[in-house]
Structure formats: C-alpha cells, structure tokens
Amino acid sequence: MDKRRNIIVLVVFAGLIFITFLISVNTGHIRLTPSEVIATLFGQGTHKQQLILFDFRLPRIVIAILVGAALAVSGTVLQGLSRNALADPGILGINAGAGLMVLIYVAFFPETTGGFILFLPLLAWFGAAVTAAFIYALSYKRGEGISPTRLLLTGIAVAAGISAFTIVVTLMLSPDDYQFVARWTAGSIWGSNWSFVLALLPFLVVLLPFVMYKSAVLNLLNMGDQIATSLGVAVERERRWLLFAAVGLAGSAVSVSGGIGFVGLIAPHLVRSLIGPKHQFLLPTVAVVGGFLVLLADTIGRSIIQPSEIPAGIVVAVIGAPYFLYLLARSKA
C-alpha cells in the first residue's frame, strides 16, 4: 500500500512539474506560443526563439528543479538526523554560511564567469560545512546527543550572527556587486545558463544516490541513538556522513540560487503527510516535490510583475514563513 501510494504521489507531482514547465517556458518578457516552443524544441524555431529557449529559459528551469530537489532532500536528512521537525538548512543557518563564503569571494575577487562558476559550489559547500560543524559542536552534549530544541535555537542564533556579518561585508561592495548580492540574498535563480547546471550536477549525482542508499540508516536513527546502536548502527559515523551529504546538497544548491529558504521544511512535511515517514519512499518523493516548489515559485515570480521579477526565495518565504510559525506553535502544544 505504501509503495502504491508513493508511486501515485510521484506521478502526480511529476505531472505538476511538467505542467509548470510548459507554463515556465512561455513566461517572460518575450512570449513563445506552445506551438513555437514545440517547434523550437525540435529544431524548427528561429534563431531568436532558440536563443530564448535553449540559452535562457531551459537552463533556468533545470536549475530550479535541481535546486529544489537538493534543498528538500537536505532538509529531510537534517530533520531525520536531529529528530527535529523544524530543521531546515535555511533556518539552521547552513544556507547563510554558504552565502557568506560566496559573498566574501565576490567582495574580494569580483569575477562571475569562467572558472568562478565551477568553483562556486565548492566554495559554498565549505562555508556551509564550517557553519554546520560549528552548530553541531554547540548543540551536542556528551551522553545526551543533540537536543532538537538546542539545535534549532543554536542554528537561529548562528544564522543571525552570520547575517549581521554579511551586512558588514556588503557595505564594502561596489554598486554593481551590491546589486548581484542583493539578488542572490533574496533567492533569485541567477545562475541561469548551462555552465551552472554543469557545476551543480556532480554534487547531486554523487550525493543524492548516497543519501537514498542510506535511507534505512535514517529510519533507524529516527528511532533514537540507543535503539540504532543496539541494532548495529555506528551512530556518530553515520550521522557525520549524512550531515556531510546534507550540507553538500544545501551548499551547492545555494551557490547557484541564493538564499532560498523553507523548501527543506515544507517539502518533507508535505510528503510525510501523504506517504508516511519511511525514508526509502520519502526521499525520492521529497526530491520531486522540492523541484516542483522551486520551479513553481520561480515561474510565479517571473509572471506577476513583468518585465521585472520577484525572486523565487521571496515567493517561497511568503508560503514558508506562516507554515513555519504554524509548525512552531503546534510543536509547543
């Protein structure tokens, strides 16, 4: 029954991604009719139509789906490791740490082409990893492990500190770099060409299968450290590897999309309510749902106030912030 329900949910959200894709390729200052899109996909469009579709819209759509999948799976892993339903790479400050490293690089090495693009995910991963290690160290107590409440409060405090330092660094930027950082911080899919897709893909190709492979371990860790240890799980070693993967997914995604928060919070809760908590079903479905959420948010943001656009991160936050408050209120009850 669980498997059948999982397949139905996967098919539904895959269909929603396809519908949103059709809308997204026709969203922008220059419109392409459905027949023009189909003709261009099959090589029959004009040079201008091919430029718009293949060089601008398709890579942005692909990046939105990949970023959503990475953030959603990262949030699912963090919730599983901490047994905290409110864990999310944005709320815990991991996204802020990744963003700070990117910002520092832009401030001192203002280059956003060529090798910078390939280097960007590694840089963001390093910033996210340092932040996660700091939060982990402050949240961990010997003999008690990680308290969900302590983890959440520590993450929020660290994120606030990083945000303050980010403002200080931002004041050092030139006007052009400041505009770039402002878009990036708001969660705009700014890396909208195939070079960014190629920079992001290796991380997802390696880390997503690794996390899926560890789904049984995540199920055991959800039962508590003592039970997992009694069943033969090397708890601390597995937790470190899974945390490393979650941070890598979040950092690499943030490097090309900016500070998009709440995807790692919304997607896991939505999917758990539909198919249950088993990670072998949860993780692949969460990846699809996360991809749909970011693609939908980016499409809405590009549609509302054309020719300007609202960053996808703001659209997600409009939905995610009230949902976070709802979960927080319910957890206190």
Side-chain angles (χ1 to χ4, degrees):
M1 184 64 182
D2 288 340
K3 188 174 182 180
R4 182 182 175 185
R5 181 182 297 177
N6 181 51
I7 292 173
I8 292 172
V9 173
L10 273 173
V11 170
V12 168
F13 277 97
L16 290 174
I17 286 180
F18 180 71
I19 293 171
T20 310
F21 165 82
L22 294 178
I23 297 171
S24 186
V25 293
N26 194 34
T27 298
H29 185 56
I30 300 175
R31 289 195 170 276
L32 300 176
T33 66
S35 60
E36 288 174 339
V37 170
I38 294 172
T40 306
L41 286 173
F42 287 95
Q44 302 299 317
T46 65
H47 175 72
K48 182 180 179 180
Q49 290 169 346
Q50 290 177 354
L51 182 68
I52 292 170
L53 187 61
F54 290 110
D55 290 357
F56 295 107
R57 293 186 184 170
L58 279 181
R60 181 165 181 158
I61 289 170
V62 171
I63 286 174
I65 294 172
L66 293 178
V67 164
L71 291 174
V73 171
S74 177
T76 305
V77 173
L78 290 174
Q79 290 174 16
L81 291 178
S82 63
R83 301 193 301 280
N84 187 340
L86 301 177
D88 169 82
I91 295 170
L92 295 181
I94 294 173
N95 289 359
L100 179 60
M101 288 302 299
V102 174
L103 173 59
I104 291 173
Y105 187 89
V106 170
F108 293 99
F109 305 96
E111 175 61 51
T112 57
T113 60
F116 168 82
I117 293 175
L118 298 176
F119 182 62
L120 196 58
L122 286 173
L123 190 69
W125 192 352
F126 175 76
V130 171
T131 305
F134 185 60
I135 294 170
Y136 184 90
L138 291 177
S139 304
Y140 183 83
K141 281 191 175 182
R142 186 180 297 274
E144 297 181 18
I146 296 179
S147 163
T149 302
R150 189 163 58 242
L151 176 70
L152 180 65
L153 294 177
T154 302
I156 292 173
V158 170
I162 292 174
S163 296
F165 189 70
T166 297
I167 294 173
V168 174
V169 177
T170 302
L171 297 176
M172 303 167 54
L173 300 176
S174 67
D176 290 341
D177 290 335
Y178 179 83
Q179 285 187 345
F180 164 77
V181 170
R183 292 196 309 271
W184 190 94
T185 305
S188 175
I189 308 293
W190 67 276
S192 53
N193 63 58
W194 293 112
S195 297
F196 288 92
V197 175
L198 293 176
L200 183 59
L201 267 180
F203 290 85
L204 272 64
V205 168
V206 173
L207 296 176
L208 284 178
F210 172 77
V211 171
M212 305 289 181
Y213 174 71
K214 292 291 185 178
S215 59
V217 174
L218 277 168
N219 289 336
L220 294 176
L221 290 176
N222 267 347
M223 301 170 67
D225 291 359
Q226 291 184 343
I227 295 177
T229 301
S230 67
L231 294 173
V233 177
V235 171
E236 287 307 314
R237 185 185 67 189
E238 296 290 355
R239 180 177 281 127
R240 282 193 295 268
W241 276 111
L242 284 164
L243 181 62
F244 181 77
V247 167
L249 288 169
S252 58
V254 166
S255 70
V256 298
S257 69
I260 298 180
F262 296 110
V263 176
L265 178 73
I266 298 172
H269 281 277
L270 175 61
V271 175
R272 282 194 196 95
S273 68
L274 294 173
I275 66 171
K278 294 182 179 178
H279 284 85
Q280 60 266 39
F281 303 135
L282 182 65
L283 288 168
T285 311
V286 158
V288 175
V289 173
F292 165 69
L293 288 175
V294 176
L295 178 58
L296 179 64
D298 187 53
T299 303
I300 292 173
R302 291 193 292 123
S303 304
I304 294 178
I305 54 172
Q306 293 184 15
S308 299
E309 65 178 59
I310 301 173
I314 294 177
V315 178
V316 174
V318 169
I319 303 170
Y323 189 64
F324 173 72
L325 293 174
Y326 161 73
L327 291 175
L328 190 62
R330 194 176 67 174
S331 68
K332 287 182 178 180

